[in-house]
């Protein structure tokens, strides 16, 4: 209703679980590259660079999600492998800041509400999860 486009959300929840696993691997690999660089820099900076190692993982995860979801393919590598894209509820691409905030909401909800995060989508016709609703986004099947 409300003049909004109809979206194909068939199988999106299962695809999102697979996408999450793939994206964790991608983020871990990116983090490992940065850790290698920071480890070497730590010797030059008398250990100061090592302080960045722990907070770097969530920063990389949010930037990765923000860039890929707001990009032309509208999804992370895992989402694209699962045939999923994420967009504004009006069908337009998500701006970077919205996609990044969506990722923050996702990681906070996963860390605090797992496995209840997926249950939320089971009770909605559009299969949107809490972080989708908060960010005004929807995950759909790729056309």
């Amino acid at each position: 209703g409300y003049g909004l486009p109809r979206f194909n959300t068939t199988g999106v929840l299962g695809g999102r679980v697979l996408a999450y696993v793939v994206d964790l691997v991608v983020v871990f690999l990116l983090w490992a590259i940065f850790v290698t660089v920071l480890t070497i820099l730590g010797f030059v900076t008398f250990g100061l660079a090592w302080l960045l190692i722990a907070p770097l993982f969530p920063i990389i995860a949010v930037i990765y999600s923000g860039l890929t979801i707001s990009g032309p393919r509208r999804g992370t590598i895992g989402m694209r492998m699962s045939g999923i894209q994420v967009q504004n509820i009006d069908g337009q691409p998500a701006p970077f800041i919205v996609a990044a905030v969506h990722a923050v909401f996702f990681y906070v909800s996963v860390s605090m509400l797992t496995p209840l995060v997926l249950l939320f989508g089971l009770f909605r016709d559009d299969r949107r999860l809490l972080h989708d609703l908060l960010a005004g986004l929807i995950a759909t099947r790729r056309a």
Side-chain angles (χ1 to χ4, degrees), residues 57-123:
F57 192 88
I59 291 168
I60 290 171
V62 169
I63 292 172
Y64 164 77
S65 294
L67 287 174
T68 54
I69 289 172
S70 68
R73 296 186 183 158
R74 299 182 187 193
T76 63
I77 292 170
M79 289 174 183
R80 286 182 274 161
M81 288 176 64
S82 299
I84 296 170
Q85 65 183 14
V86 176
Q87 57 206 352
N88 281 333
I89 193 67
D90 64 3
Q92 296 299 310
F96 170 79
I97 192 69
V98 173
V101 168
H102 180 254
V104 169
F105 289 157
F106 169 73
Y107 287 110
V108 168
S109 67
V110 164
S111 64
M112 294 173 53
L113 302 173
T114 298
L116 302 174
V117 170
L118 287 176
L119 290 177
F120 192 84
L122 291 175
F123 296 104

Side-chain angles (χ1 to χ4, degrees), residues 3-143:
L4 295 174
R6 284 289 282 153
F7 297 107
N8 180 3
T9 58
T10 305
V12 166
L13 288 181
R16 288 178 94 167
V17 172
L18 174 64
Y20 175 63
V21 172
V22 169
D23 291 331
L24 273 182
V25 171
V26 171
V27 171
F28 177 79
L29 292 173
L30 291 170
W31 179 76
I33 292 167
F34 280 100
V35 166
T36 303
V37 171
L38 288 174
T39 299
I40 295 166
L41 280 175
F43 292 108
V44 177
T45 62
F46 302 103
L48 287 176
W50 297 336
L51 298 174
L52 297 175
I53 290 174
L56 195 59
F57 192 88
I59 291 168
I60 290 171
V62 169
I63 292 172
Y64 164 77
S65 294
L67 287 174
T68 54
I69 289 172
S70 68
R73 296 186 183 158
R74 299 182 187 193
T76 63
I77 292 170
M79 289 174 183
R80 286 182 274 161
M81 288 176 64
S82 299
I84 296 170
Q85 65 183 14
V86 176
Q87 57 206 352
N88 281 333
I89 193 67
D90 64 3
Q92 296 299 310
F96 170 79
I97 192 69
V98 173
V101 168
H102 180 254
V104 169
F105 289 157
F106 169 73
Y107 287 110
V108 168
S109 67
V110 164
S111 64
M112 294 173 53
L113 302 173
T114 298
L116 302 174
V117 170
L118 287 176
L119 290 177
F120 192 84
L122 291 175
F123 296 104
R124 295 188 51 91
D125 289 338
D126 61 6
R127 299 296 183 233
R128 291 172 73 197
L129 303 177
L130 181 59
H131 63 285
D132 300 329
L133 293 169
L134 291 172
L137 301 179
I138 186 167
T140 64
R141 282 274 160 219
R142 294 183 82 64

